[in-house]
Amino acid sequence: MTAPRTPSADRLGRLLNLVPYLLARPGILIAEAAADLGVTPKQLREDLELLWVCGLPGYGPGDLIDMAFDGDRVTISHDAGIDKPLRLNPDEALALVVALRMLAETPGIGSRDAIERALAKIESAAGDLADAPVAVKLPANQEKLAKVRAAVDSGHALRLTYYTAARDETTDRVVDPMRMLTVGTFAYLEAWCRRAEATRLFRIDRIDAFSELAEPSRPPVEAVPHDVTDGVFRPGPELPLVTLRVGRGGRWITEYYPVEQVVKEPGEWLVTMRVTDLVWARRFLVGRPDVTVAGPPELVEQIRAAAHEALDQYAAPS
C-alpha cells in the first residue's frame, strides 16, 4: 500500500519542478504559473520566497537562485547551476547510497522499484560504492517486521496482541491495516483499530503476537492517516497539561519531549508540557530527584501516594 503524500513532500516536488518550469517561461504571470502547477497564487508566492534562499553551498552572491519581478510576472535571472548535470563527490555519493538503502528497507514505502533502480544506477556509476561496507538495517525485529509487512500487503485484517507502554497493559484488538511507516528509529503499523474506533499507530517492537484474518482490511472513510512530519506524539489542548519544576539534572526532558513553555528561574526551570495521560506521567516522573511535580493536583497526589507506597516497602515488619 502506498503511503499518502505529505504537504512537505508535495512542496518539495513543486520546488524541484519550479525552476526549470520558470526558466522555460520567462516573464510568465504568477496567476498563470499557479494554475499550471495546481496551487494558489498565494502558495506560489510563498514557494518563490523560499527559492530566494536555495542554491549551492557557500550561499553567497552567485550561489543562490535569483529572480526578477515585474508586476505580477516573474523571471528566473540566475538558476545557480540547476540546469547542469549533477556531479557527486565520493562522500556525497556514499551518503546518497546509504539514504536510498534506508528507503529500500523502510516498510510501506511506495515506488520501491524506482528506488532500487536509482540505487543500482548510482552504485554502477560510482564503481566501488556497490561494495561499500555499510549495512542499513531498521532497528526493529527484522523477522517480525517482514511478517507484518507481508500481512499488510495481503490486504487482510489482523488480530494483534499489543503492549501499550503508556498504560503498562497488554490488549487484544482487531485492526484494519492502512500502511507501514518509519518515524525516527521505530517502525510502525498504522491501522484502523476496531476496539478504539480510531486510527492508531502500533510500534512493531511492541506487537507481541498477531494473526492474519480471512476478512479483508476495510478501514472506514473516517480512517485518516496521521501527520507524522513532526513525530508520532502530537500534543493538543485535549491532553492533560503538566507543570514541573526541573533542576539542572532534569533539563534533558526539554530536549527529548515536546514542551509548551520553559520559564528559567534561579536554580530551576518551570516547565509545562502535554502528556498522553496522567498514568504515563506518574510512571515517568516517580523517582526522578531533579524533577518536582507542581500540577495538576491529581498528579501531585498520585506521585505522593506512589512515593509513600514505595517507602512502605522498606518498612521493617512489625
Side-chain angles (χ1 to χ4, degrees), residues 162 179 181-190 199-206 225-236 238-239 256-258 276:
Y162 187 73
R179 61 171 175 165
L181 65 159
T182 299
V183 184
T185 59
F186 296 105
Y188 292 85
L189 164 67
E190 184 170 40
T199 305
R200 291 288 186 263
L201 288 169
F202 301 97
R203 252 175 61 174
I204 298 300
D205 60 325
R206 291 178 178 170
H226 291 81
D227 179 4
V228 295
T229 305
D230 299 321
V232 173
F233 179 59
R234 302 296 297 274
E238 74 282 359
L239 297 179
Y256 282 84
Y257 295 93
T276 53

mmCIF file of all heavy atoms in Angstrom, residues 162 179 181-190 199-206 225-236 238-239 256-258 276:
data_model
loop_
_atom_site.group_PDB
_atom_site.id
_atom_site.type_symbol
_atom_site.label_atom_id
_atom_site.label_comp_id
_atom_site.label_asym_id
_atom_site.label_seq_id
_atom_site.Cartn_x
_atom_site.Cartn_y
_atom_site.Cartn_z
ATOM 1 N N TYR A 162 -1.068 -6.468 21.756
ATOM 2 C CA TYR A 162 -0.227 -5.266 21.729
ATOM 3 C C TYR A 162 0.018 -4.733 23.131
ATOM 4 O O TYR A 162 -0.904 -4.654 23.951
ATOM 5 C CB TYR A 162 -0.897 -4.178 20.884
ATOM 6 C CG TYR A 162 -0.027 -2.962 20.652
ATOM 7 C CD1 TYR A 162 1.048 -3.024 19.787
ATOM 8 C CD2 TYR A 162 -0.279 -1.762 21.311
ATOM 9 C CE1 TYR A 162 1.858 -1.918 19.567
ATOM 10 C CE2 TYR A 162 0.527 -0.656 21.104
ATOM 11 C CZ TYR A 162 1.600 -0.738 20.235
ATOM 12 O OH TYR A 162 2.405 0.351 20.035
ATOM 13 N N ARG A 179 -1.176 1.281 6.382
ATOM 14 C CA ARG A 179 0.166 1.421 5.821
ATOM 15 C C ARG A 179 1.193 1.093 6.906
ATOM 16 O O ARG A 179 0.859 0.963 8.081
ATOM 17 C CB ARG A 179 0.421 2.843 5.311
ATOM 18 C CG ARG A 179 0.316 3.909 6.397
ATOM 19 C CD ARG A 179 0.776 5.275 5.918
ATOM 20 N NE ARG A 179 0.562 6.292 6.942
ATOM 21 C CZ ARG A 179 1.119 7.508 6.923
ATOM 22 N NH1 ARG A 179 1.916 7.843 5.930
ATOM 23 N NH2 ARG A 179 0.879 8.382 7.884
ATOM 24 N N LEU A 181 5.133 2.486 8.209
ATOM 25 C CA LEU A 181 6.000 3.650 8.079
ATOM 26 C C LEU A 181 7.053 3.607 9.172
ATOM 27 O O LEU A 181 6.950 2.857 10.147
ATOM 28 C CB LEU A 181 5.202 4.945 8.161
ATOM 29 C CG LEU A 181 4.501 5.291 9.488
ATOM 30 C CD1 LEU A 181 4.220 6.777 9.546
ATOM 31 C CD2 LEU A 181 3.172 4.539 9.621
ATOM 32 N N THR A 182 8.090 4.399 8.971
ATOM 33 C CA THR A 182 9.157 4.539 9.947
ATOM 34 C C THR A 182 9.220 5.986 10.391
ATOM 35 O O THR A 182 9.256 6.897 9.551
ATOM 36 C CB THR A 182 10.510 4.119 9.363
ATOM 37 O OG1 THR A 182 10.437 2.745 8.970
ATOM 38 C CG2 THR A 182 11.624 4.287 10.377
ATOM 39 N N VAL A 183 9.209 6.216 11.693
ATOM 40 C CA VAL A 183 9.318 7.555 12.269
ATOM 41 C C VAL A 183 10.465 7.519 13.266
ATOM 42 O O VAL A 183 10.434 6.755 14.225
ATOM 43 C CB VAL A 183 8.018 7.999 12.972
ATOM 44 C CG1 VAL A 183 8.155 9.436 13.480
ATOM 45 C CG2 VAL A 183 6.835 7.889 12.021
ATOM 46 N N GLY A 184 11.468 8.343 13.020
ATOM 47 C CA GLY A 184 12.643 8.312 13.883
ATOM 48 C C GLY A 184 13.349 6.982 13.751
ATOM 49 O O GLY A 184 13.741 6.573 12.664
ATOM 50 N N THR A 185 13.474 6.262 14.854
ATOM 51 C CA THR A 185 14.165 4.978 14.840
ATOM 52 C C THR A 185 13.216 3.799 14.980
ATOM 53 O O THR A 185 13.678 2.668 15.187
ATOM 54 C CB THR A 185 15.202 4.932 15.982
ATOM 55 O OG1 THR A 185 14.533 5.114 17.234
ATOM 56 C CG2 THR A 185 16.258 6.014 15.810
ATOM 57 N N PHE A 186 11.896 4.026 14.861
ATOM 58 C CA PHE A 186 10.937 2.950 15.070
ATOM 59 C C PHE A 186 10.062 2.739 13.839
ATOM 60 O O PHE A 186 9.709 3.689 13.129
ATOM 61 C CB PHE A 186 10.043 3.252 16.278
ATOM 62 C CG PHE A 186 10.790 3.323 17.583
ATOM 63 C CD1 PHE A 186 11.042 4.544 18.190
ATOM 64 C CD2 PHE A 186 11.258 2.170 18.187
ATOM 65 C CE1 PHE A 186 11.736 4.615 19.382
ATOM 66 C CE2 PHE A 186 11.953 2.230 19.387
ATOM 67 C CZ PHE A 186 12.196 3.448 19.983
ATOM 68 N N ALA A 187 9.724 1.465 13.604
ATOM 69 C CA ALA A 187 8.791 1.106 12.539
ATOM 70 C C ALA A 187 7.395 0.960 13.139
ATOM 71 O O ALA A 187 7.236 0.450 14.265
ATOM 72 C CB ALA A 187 9.219 -0.194 11.873
ATOM 73 N N TYR A 188 6.381 1.395 12.406
ATOM 74 C CA TYR A 188 5.001 1.392 12.902
ATOM 75 C C TYR A 188 4.063 0.766 11.876
ATOM 76 O O TYR A 188 4.288 0.855 10.663
ATOM 77 C CB TYR A 188 4.515 2.823 13.173
ATOM 78 C CG TYR A 188 5.190 3.531 14.315
ATOM 79 C CD1 TYR A 188 6.385 4.209 14.122
ATOM 80 C CD2 TYR A 188 4.625 3.535 15.586
ATOM 81 C CE1 TYR A 188 7.007 4.883 15.167
ATOM 82 C CE2 TYR A 188 5.236 4.203 16.641
ATOM 83 C CZ TYR A 188 6.427 4.863 16.422
ATOM 84 O OH TYR A 188 7.039 5.524 17.452
ATOM 85 N N LEU A 189 3.009 0.157 12.389
ATOM 86 C CA LEU A 189 1.853 -0.224 11.597
ATOM 87 C C LEU A 189 0.756 0.794 11.886
ATOM 88 O O LEU A 189 0.389 0.990 13.047
ATOM 89 C CB LEU A 189 1.377 -1.631 11.973
ATOM 90 C CG LEU A 189 -0.035 -2.015 11.505
ATOM 91 C CD1 LEU A 189 -0.093 -2.121 9.992
ATOM 92 C CD2 LEU A 189 -0.480 -3.326 12.162
ATOM 93 N N GLU A 190 0.267 1.452 10.850
ATOM 94 C CA GLU A 190 -0.868 2.368 11.029
ATOM 95 C C GLU A 190 -2.123 1.640 10.564
ATOM 96 O O GLU A 190 -2.142 1.085 9.456
ATOM 97 C CB GLU A 190 -0.671 3.650 10.235
ATOM 98 C CG GLU A 190 -1.791 4.667 10.480
ATOM 99 C CD GLU A 190 -1.472 6.026 9.888
ATOM 100 O OE1 GLU A 190 -0.922 6.067 8.774
ATOM 101 O OE2 GLU A 190 -1.774 7.044 10.537
ATOM 102 N N THR A 199 -8.050 5.727 14.191
ATOM 103 C CA THR A 199 -6.774 5.365 13.587
ATOM 104 C C THR A 199 -5.696 5.345 14.663
ATOM 105 O O THR A 199 -5.602 6.277 15.465
ATOM 106 C CB THR A 199 -6.396 6.368 12.482
ATOM 107 O OG1 THR A 199 -7.457 6.440 11.527
ATOM 108 C CG2 THR A 199 -5.124 5.949 11.770
ATOM 109 N N ARG A 200 -4.897 4.300 14.671
ATOM 110 C CA ARG A 200 -3.855 4.156 15.682
ATOM 111 C C ARG A 200 -2.534 3.756 15.020
ATOM 112 O O ARG A 200 -2.513 3.128 13.963
ATOM 113 C CB ARG A 200 -4.233 3.095 16.718
ATOM 114 C CG ARG A 200 -5.393 3.492 17.619
ATOM 115 C CD ARG A 200 -4.956 4.559 18.605
ATOM 116 N NE ARG A 200 -5.992 4.878 19.575
ATOM 117 C CZ ARG A 200 -6.834 5.902 19.465
ATOM 118 N NH1 ARG A 200 -6.758 6.680 18.369
ATOM 119 N NH2 ARG A 200 -7.726 6.142 20.382
ATOM 120 N N LEU A 201 -1.426 4.136 15.689
ATOM 121 C CA LEU A 201 -0.086 3.716 15.285
ATOM 122 C C LEU A 201 0.398 2.653 16.266
ATOM 123 O O LEU A 201 0.404 2.885 17.474
ATOM 124 C CB LEU A 201 0.877 4.905 15.278
ATOM 125 C CG LEU A 201 0.696 5.923 14.150
ATOM 126 C CD1 LEU A 201 1.524 7.166 14.422
ATOM 127 C CD2 LEU A 201 1.087 5.306 12.810
ATOM 128 N N PHE A 202 0.810 1.499 15.737
ATOM 129 C CA PHE A 202 1.276 0.402 16.568
ATOM 130 C C PHE A 202 2.761 0.166 16.293
ATOM 131 O O PHE A 202 3.141 -0.163 15.168
ATOM 132 C CB PHE A 202 0.485 -0.878 16.273
ATOM 133 C CG PHE A 202 -0.997 -0.745 16.503
ATOM 134 C CD1 PHE A 202 -1.854 -0.469 15.449
ATOM 135 C CD2 PHE A 202 -1.524 -0.877 17.780
ATOM 136 C CE1 PHE A 202 -3.222 -0.343 15.666
ATOM 137 C CE2 PHE A 202 -2.885 -0.754 18.002
ATOM 138 C CZ PHE A 202 -3.736 -0.477 16.941
ATOM 139 N N ARG A 203 3.590 0.369 17.326
ATOM 140 C CA ARG A 203 5.017 0.128 17.169
ATOM 141 C C ARG A 203 5.267 -1.359 16.966
ATOM 142 O O ARG A 203 4.766 -2.190 17.708
ATOM 143 C CB ARG A 203 5.788 0.631 18.391
ATOM 144 C CG ARG A 203 6.577 1.875 18.106
ATOM 145 C CD ARG A 203 7.238 2.435 19.321
ATOM 146 N NE ARG A 203 8.202 1.524 19.945
ATOM 147 C CZ ARG A 203 8.976 1.879 20.964
ATOM 148 N NH1 ARG A 203 8.895 3.110 21.452
ATOM 149 N NH2 ARG A 203 9.819 1.023 21.496
ATOM 150 N N ILE A 204 6.039 -1.686 15.923
ATOM 151 C CA ILE A 204 6.249 -3.085 15.567
ATOM 152 C C ILE A 204 6.867 -3.867 16.718
ATOM 153 O O ILE A 204 6.482 -5.007 16.993
ATOM 154 C CB ILE A 204 7.138 -3.185 14.313
ATOM 155 C CG1 ILE A 204 6.452 -2.504 13.113
ATOM 156 C CG2 ILE A 204 7.438 -4.641 13.976
ATOM 157 C CD1 ILE A 204 5.127 -3.100 12.730
ATOM 158 N N ASP A 205 7.827 -3.259 17.436
ATOM 159 C CA ASP A 205 8.502 -3.990 18.504
ATOM 160 C C ASP A 205 7.612 -4.213 19.716
ATOM 161 O O ASP A 205 7.990 -4.960 20.624
ATOM 162 C CB ASP A 205 9.798 -3.285 18.909
ATOM 163 C CG ASP A 205 9.554 -1.865 19.405
ATOM 164 O OD1 ASP A 205 8.654 -1.199 18.874
ATOM 165 O OD2 ASP A 205 10.258 -1.418 20.323
ATOM 166 N N ARG A 206 6.428 -3.575 19.751
ATOM 167 C CA ARG A 206 5.503 -3.772 20.857
ATOM 168 C C ARG A 206 4.332 -4.680 20.489
ATOM 169 O O ARG A 206 3.425 -4.876 21.287
ATOM 170 C CB ARG A 206 4.988 -2.419 21.364
ATOM 171 C CG ARG A 206 6.077 -1.606 22.071
ATOM 172 C CD ARG A 206 5.571 -0.273 22.527
ATOM 173 N NE ARG A 206 6.619 0.470 23.238
ATOM 174 C CZ ARG A 206 6.535 1.752 23.592
ATOM 175 N NH1 ARG A 206 5.424 2.437 23.298
ATOM 176 N NH2 ARG A 206 7.536 2.342 24.216
ATOM 177 N N PRO A 225 -5.004 9.030 7.880
ATOM 178 C CA PRO A 225 -3.617 8.784 8.313
ATOM 179 C C PRO A 225 -3.091 9.925 9.170
ATOM 180 O O PRO A 225 -3.483 11.088 9.027
ATOM 181 C CB PRO A 225 -2.847 8.702 6.980
ATOM 182 C CG PRO A 225 -3.887 8.378 5.959
ATOM 183 C CD PRO A 225 -5.138 9.042 6.423
ATOM 184 N N HIS A 226 -2.194 9.584 10.097
ATOM 185 C CA HIS A 226 -1.573 10.587 10.950
ATOM 186 C C HIS A 226 -0.549 11.407 10.164
ATOM 187 O O HIS A 226 0.121 10.885 9.278
ATOM 188 C CB HIS A 226 -0.855 9.930 12.134
ATOM 189 C CG HIS A 226 -1.776 9.312 13.133
ATOM 190 N ND1 HIS A 226 -2.352 8.057 12.959
ATOM 191 C CD2 HIS A 226 -2.210 9.747 14.342
ATOM 192 C CE1 HIS A 226 -3.098 7.772 14.012
ATOM 193 N NE2 HIS A 226 -3.032 8.776 14.864
ATOM 194 N N ASP A 227 -0.437 12.670 10.512
ATOM 195 C CA ASP A 227 0.645 13.506 10.000
ATOM 196 C C ASP A 227 1.828 13.341 10.951
ATOM 197 O O ASP A 227 1.808 13.836 12.072
ATOM 198 C CB ASP A 227 0.209 14.971 9.929
ATOM 199 C CG ASP A 227 1.314 15.885 9.415
ATOM 200 O OD1 ASP A 227 2.384 15.373 9.039
ATOM 201 O OD2 ASP A 227 1.112 17.115 9.388
ATOM 202 N N VAL A 228 2.850 12.613 10.508
ATOM 203 C CA VAL A 228 3.998 12.323 11.379
ATOM 204 C C VAL A 228 5.205 13.169 11.002
ATOM 205 O O VAL A 228 6.335 12.822 11.326
ATOM 206 C CB VAL A 228 4.350 10.819 11.329
ATOM 207 C CG1 VAL A 228 3.223 9.977 11.902
ATOM 208 C CG2 VAL A 228 4.652 10.378 9.894
ATOM 209 N N THR A 229 4.957 14.289 10.313
ATOM 210 C CA THR A 229 6.062 15.155 9.910
ATOM 211 C C THR A 229 6.893 15.581 11.105
ATOM 212 O O THR A 229 8.126 15.627 11.037
ATOM 213 C CB THR A 229 5.521 16.400 9.186
ATOM 214 O OG1 THR A 229 4.692 15.992 8.093
ATOM 215 C CG2 THR A 229 6.669 17.253 8.650
ATOM 216 N N ASP A 230 6.224 15.899 12.217
ATOM 217 C CA ASP A 230 6.921 16.362 13.420
ATOM 218 C C ASP A 230 6.995 15.293 14.498
ATOM 219 O O ASP A 230 7.193 15.597 15.678
ATOM 220 C CB ASP A 230 6.237 17.614 13.978
ATOM 221 C CG ASP A 230 6.261 18.773 12.995
ATOM 222 O OD1 ASP A 230 7.290 18.929 12.326
ATOM 223 O OD2 ASP A 230 5.255 19.497 12.891
ATOM 224 N N GLY A 231 6.832 14.013 14.098
ATOM 225 C CA GLY A 231 6.906 12.928 15.065
ATOM 226 C C GLY A 231 5.549 12.304 15.334
ATOM 227 O O GLY A 231 4.509 12.782 14.854
ATOM 228 N N VAL A 232 5.577 11.227 16.095
ATOM 229 C CA VAL A 232 4.349 10.484 16.379
ATOM 230 C C VAL A 232 3.476 11.206 17.394
ATOM 231 O O VAL A 232 2.258 11.310 17.234
ATOM 232 C CB VAL A 232 4.705 9.072 16.894
ATOM 233 C CG1 VAL A 232 3.451 8.341 17.353
ATOM 234 C CG2 VAL A 232 5.408 8.269 15.800
ATOM 235 N N PHE A 233 4.073 11.729 18.456
ATOM 236 C CA PHE A 233 3.288 12.386 19.502
ATOM 237 C C PHE A 233 2.965 13.815 19.086
ATOM 238 O O PHE A 233 3.861 14.626 18.847
ATOM 239 C CB PHE A 233 4.066 12.387 20.814
ATOM 240 C CG PHE A 233 3.333 13.061 21.951
ATOM 241 C CD1 PHE A 233 2.089 12.609 22.354
ATOM 242 C CD2 PHE A 233 3.882 14.147 22.599
ATOM 243 C CE1 PHE A 233 1.408 13.215 23.392
ATOM 244 C CE2 PHE A 233 3.214 14.771 23.644
ATOM 245 C CZ PHE A 233 1.977 14.298 24.034
ATOM 246 N N ARG A 234 1.693 14.128 18.982
ATOM 247 C CA ARG A 234 1.236 15.458 18.589
ATOM 248 C C ARG A 234 0.415 16.037 19.727
ATOM 249 O O ARG A 234 -0.792 15.811 19.833
ATOM 250 C CB ARG A 234 0.392 15.383 17.313
ATOM 251 C CG ARG A 234 1.103 14.765 16.122
ATOM 252 C CD ARG A 234 2.288 15.586 15.670
ATOM 253 N NE ARG A 234 1.865 16.892 15.219
ATOM 254 C CZ ARG A 234 1.455 17.141 13.967
ATOM 255 N NH1 ARG A 234 1.416 16.174 13.077
ATOM 256 N NH2 ARG A 234 1.107 18.364 13.620
ATOM 257 N N PRO A 235 1.050 16.767 20.651
ATOM 258 C CA PRO A 235 0.308 17.310 21.793
ATOM 259 C C PRO A 235 -0.743 18.317 21.363
ATOM 260 O O PRO A 235 -0.480 19.189 20.529
ATOM 261 C CB PRO A 235 1.410 17.977 22.636
ATOM 262 C CG PRO A 235 2.529 18.245 21.686
ATOM 263 C CD PRO A 235 2.470 17.159 20.662
ATOM 264 N N GLY A 236 -1.936 18.183 21.928
ATOM 265 C CA GLY A 236 -3.025 19.100 21.630
ATOM 266 C C GLY A 236 -3.705 19.563 22.895
ATOM 267 O O GLY A 236 -3.454 19.031 23.994
ATOM 268 N N GLU A 238 -6.472 18.982 24.077
ATOM 269 C CA GLU A 238 -7.319 17.993 24.742
ATOM 270 C C GLU A 238 -6.532 17.108 25.713
ATOM 271 O O GLU A 238 -7.130 16.406 26.531
ATOM 272 C CB GLU A 238 -8.012 17.108 23.694
ATOM 273 C CG GLU A 238 -7.125 16.081 23.015
ATOM 274 C CD GLU A 238 -6.235 16.678 21.918
ATOM 275 O OE1 GLU A 238 -6.329 17.907 21.689
ATOM 276 O OE2 GLU A 238 -5.463 15.926 21.310
ATOM 277 N N LEU A 239 -5.200 17.162 25.660
ATOM 278 C CA LEU A 239 -4.364 16.321 26.520
ATOM 279 C C LEU A 239 -4.071 17.028 27.845
ATOM 280 O O LEU A 239 -4.049 18.257 27.911
ATOM 281 C CB LEU A 239 -3.050 15.977 25.807
ATOM 282 C CG LEU A 239 -3.177 15.152 24.530
ATOM 283 C CD1 LEU A 239 -1.802 14.914 23.914
ATOM 284 C CD2 LEU A 239 -3.872 13.822 24.811
ATOM 285 N N TYR A 256 14.158 16.155 24.924
ATOM 286 C CA TYR A 256 13.660 14.891 24.412
ATOM 287 C C TYR A 256 12.136 14.857 24.258
ATOM 288 O O TYR A 256 11.618 13.983 23.565
ATOM 289 C CB TYR A 256 14.101 13.741 25.321
ATOM 290 C CG TYR A 256 15.534 13.325 25.121
ATOM 291 C CD1 TYR A 256 16.566 13.986 25.755
ATOM 292 C CD2 TYR A 256 15.867 12.264 24.275
ATOM 293 C CE1 TYR A 256 17.892 13.618 25.563
ATOM 294 C CE2 TYR A 256 17.172 11.877 24.080
ATOM 295 C CZ TYR A 256 18.191 12.561 24.729
ATOM 296 O OH TYR A 256 19.496 12.192 24.538
ATOM 297 N N TYR A 257 11.431 15.764 24.897
ATOM 298 C CA TYR A 257 9.972 15.762 24.850
ATOM 299 C C TYR A 257 9.461 17.149 24.444
ATOM 300 O O TYR A 257 10.045 18.170 24.834
ATOM 301 C CB TYR A 257 9.383 15.378 26.220
ATOM 302 C CG TYR A 257 9.720 13.961 26.636
ATOM 303 C CD1 TYR A 257 10.841 13.701 27.415
ATOM 304 C CD2 TYR A 257 8.932 12.890 26.237
ATOM 305 C CE1 TYR A 257 11.175 12.402 27.790
ATOM 306 C CE2 TYR A 257 9.246 11.585 26.612
ATOM 307 C CZ TYR A 257 10.372 11.352 27.378
ATOM 308 O OH TYR A 257 10.693 10.071 27.745
ATOM 309 N N PRO A 258 8.361 17.197 23.663
ATOM 310 C CA PRO A 258 7.799 18.497 23.294
ATOM 311 C C PRO A 258 7.222 19.202 24.510
ATOM 312 O O PRO A 258 6.435 18.618 25.260
ATOM 313 C CB PRO A 258 6.703 18.140 22.272
ATOM 314 C CG PRO A 258 6.372 16.706 22.542
ATOM 315 C CD PRO A 258 7.621 16.061 23.057
ATOM 316 N N THR A 276 0.268 12.160 27.266
ATOM 317 C CA THR A 276 -0.819 11.326 26.746
ATOM 318 C C THR A 276 -1.885 11.078 27.807
ATOM 319 O O THR A 276 -3.076 11.142 27.526
ATOM 320 C CB THR A 276 -0.262 9.982 26.252
ATOM 321 O OG1 THR A 276 0.523 9.387 27.297
ATOM 322 C CG2 THR A 276 0.621 10.181 25.035
#
